[in-house]
């Protein structure tokens, strides 16, 4: 009988510790291929600060944005090795070629040129600039990953594509090949101790740096809307279990440029919950841009069937003082949520 009770309690014991999921736009992007790997190996101060932030917060699963991708994931492997040396062992990782820097040979931004960074599927000077990566303590089920990054923008239900003088902007040809994702949209299954869940991650285009046609603003809108469409089964395959959306939406629900209804609608979706993380001073700011101000643009949004234990933003310490490593690492702040399985 005792042995039987122990066996019954084992699953509960495995679920006892909350799962910490984080999102962090590291801004580990450089001006050329291979430069990030060099800086990681040289212990560049920004790299060391990023490692310090992650080591301080110890997320079990973290979605990273703004990290240059290379074909063999050498930079990611080097960063993972540095994290392990700092006491943070991520046995599993995933990254793949993003749309950023993916050459098209077509004028996509309307500047009458076809070889600039704005003519890539996502803005980038070289293939993989400012990509995405996921680090996890627990197995990533790579065979079941859903990559929606090649979805054409025009094929998204309810998409609003830019027009100028009542014509497709910048051209019909451009819109016929333009993908929705400026970086990527991934659904990554993770085999956590409490059971499998889907990490849904992305990095949307900033809704600025365009003209009256509002190309970037409209794209940002639909990149965010993609998750609402996925949850409703209007595109792709809707998740059937627990999930967490973690990424940089580049959109504040209340201030700045952009179509705020997209992020407001996502935050209000009854299929998920918004923990509204805050730092020790009570601020919900996740980024500070010079000349623009402080905004909330980074999100960790668990599905409604999780129990949110705690959440936060790593920017100030318990006294409200600025954390030096966080300020050195990135203009963006790491946001985290501690989750457990909701007991019905």
């Amino acid at each position: 009988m005792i042995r039987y009770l122990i066996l019954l309690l084992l699953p509960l014991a495995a679920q006892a510790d909350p799962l910490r999921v984080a999102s962090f736009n590291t801004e580990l992007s450089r001006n050329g291929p291979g430069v990030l790997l060099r800086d990681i190996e040289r212990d560049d101060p920004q790299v060391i600060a990023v490692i310090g932030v992650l080591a301080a917060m110890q997320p079990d699963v973290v979605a990273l944005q703004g990290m240059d991708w290379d074909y063999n994931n050498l930079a990611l492997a080097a960063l993972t090795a540095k994290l392990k040396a700092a006491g943070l062992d991520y046995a599993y990782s995933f990254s793949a070629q993003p749309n950023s820097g993916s050459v098209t040979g077509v004028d996509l931004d309307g500047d009458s040129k076809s070889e600039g960074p704005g003519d890539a599927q996502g803005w980038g000077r070289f293939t993989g600039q400012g990509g995405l990566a996921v680090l996890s303590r627990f197995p990533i089920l790579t065979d079941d990953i859903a990559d929606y990054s090649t979805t054409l923008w025009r094929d998204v239900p309810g998409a609003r594509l830019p027009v100028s003088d009542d014509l497709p902007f910048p051209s019909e040809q451009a819109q016929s090949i333009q993908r929705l994702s400026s970086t990527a949209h991934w659904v990554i299954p993770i085999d956590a101790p409490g059971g499998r869940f889907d990490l849904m991650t992305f990095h949307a285009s900033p809704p600025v740096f365009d003209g009256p046609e509002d190309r970037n603003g409209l794209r940002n809108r639909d990149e965010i809307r993609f998750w609402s469409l996925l949850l409703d089964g209007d595109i792709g395959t809707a998740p059937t279990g627990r999930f967490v959306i973690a990424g940089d939406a580049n959109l504040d629900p209340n201030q700045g440029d952009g179509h705020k209804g997209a992020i407001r609608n996502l935050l209000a979706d009854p299929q998920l919950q918004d923990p509204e993380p805050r730092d020790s001073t009570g601020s919900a700011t996740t980024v500070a841009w010079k000349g623009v101000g402080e905004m909330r643009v980074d999100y960790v949004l668990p599905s409604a069937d999780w129990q949110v234990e705690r959440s936060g933003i790593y920017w100030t310490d318990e006294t409200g003082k600025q954390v030096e490593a966080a300020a050195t690492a990135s203009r963006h702040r790491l946001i985290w949520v501690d989750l457990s399985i909701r007991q019905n």
Side-chain angles (χ1 to χ4, degrees), residues 52-278:
V53 169
L54 289 168
M57 297 314 300
Q58 299 276 314
D60 296 304
V61 178
V62 58
L64 303 178
Q65 304 89 44
M67 181 170 177
D68 292 343
W69 172 88
D70 60 81
Y71 185 77
N72 292 309
N73 281 324
L74 297 178
L76 182 59
L79 179 66
T80 303
K82 293 284 186 179
L83 286 166
K84 186 173 183 179
L88 192 53
D89 188 4
Y90 289 114
Y92 306 92
S93 63
F94 175 79
S95 188
Q97 181 176 341
N99 285 335
S100 50
S102 181
V103 176
T104 66
V106 176
D107 177 16
L108 293 186
D109 59 3
D111 66 354
S112 300
K113 301 176 182 179
S114 59
E115 301 297 335
D119 302 313
Q121 285 290 359
W123 194 96
R125 299 183 183 92
F126 58 90
T127 300
Q129 184 175 24
L132 304 179
V134 173
L135 301 176
S136 176
R137 297 183 190 271
F138 311 117
I140 294 174
L141 305 177
T142 53
D143 290 343
D144 294 335
I145 290 174
D147 185 352
Y148 294 101
S149 306
T150 60
T151 301
L152 294 181
W153 185 2
R154 69 192 310 170
D155 291 341
V156 174
R160 289 176 56 188
L161 275 70
V163 296
S164 180
D165 296 327
D166 296 324
L167 296 173
F169 179 88
S171 67
E172 174 64 29
Q173 179 191 18
Q175 292 192 1
S176 72
I177 67 166
Q178 177 69 77
R179 298 173 179 176
L180 170 68
S181 305
S182 53
T183 311
H185 280 82
W186 298 334
V187 178
I188 301 177
I190 296 176
D191 187 14
R196 169 175 167 158
F197 77 96
D198 289 328
L199 180 74
M200 301 155 64
T201 188
F202 75 130
H203 184 182
S205 176
V208 290
F209 310 121
D210 55 14
E213 78 288 339
D214 195 24
R215 173 177 179 258
N216 294 338
L218 292 172
R219 191 179 189 186
N220 173 276
R221 166 190 180 265
D222 286 338
E223 286 188 88
I224 295 169
R225 284 183 60 249
F226 176 87
W227 297 122
S228 298
L229 294 168
L230 185 76
L231 293 178
D232 291 340
D234 295 327
I235 196 170
T237 302
T240 57
R242 291 187 302 276
F243 64 83
V244 179
I245 300 174
D248 183 349
N250 255 320
L251 191 63
D252 186 292
N254 300 309
Q255 58 182 328
D257 295 321
H259 298 263
K260 299 175 185 62
I263 191 64
R264 289 174 181 169
N265 289 340
L266 181 62
L267 295 176
D269 194 310
Q271 298 172 86
L272 55 78
Q273 51 189 317
D274 179 11
E276 299 185 58
R278 297 180 182 274

Side-chain angles (χ1 to χ4, degrees), residues 314-328:
Y314 188 63
W315 190 248
T316 54
D317 62 20
E318 62 276 4
T319 69
K321 183 180 179 181
Q322 169 72 69
V323 177
E324 183 177 350
T328 302

Side-chain angles (χ1 to χ4, degrees), residues 25-37:
N25 184 338
T26 62
E27 296 191 305
L28 286 177
S29 185
R30 302 299 188 254
N31 290 327
V35 180
L36 177 59
L37 175 61

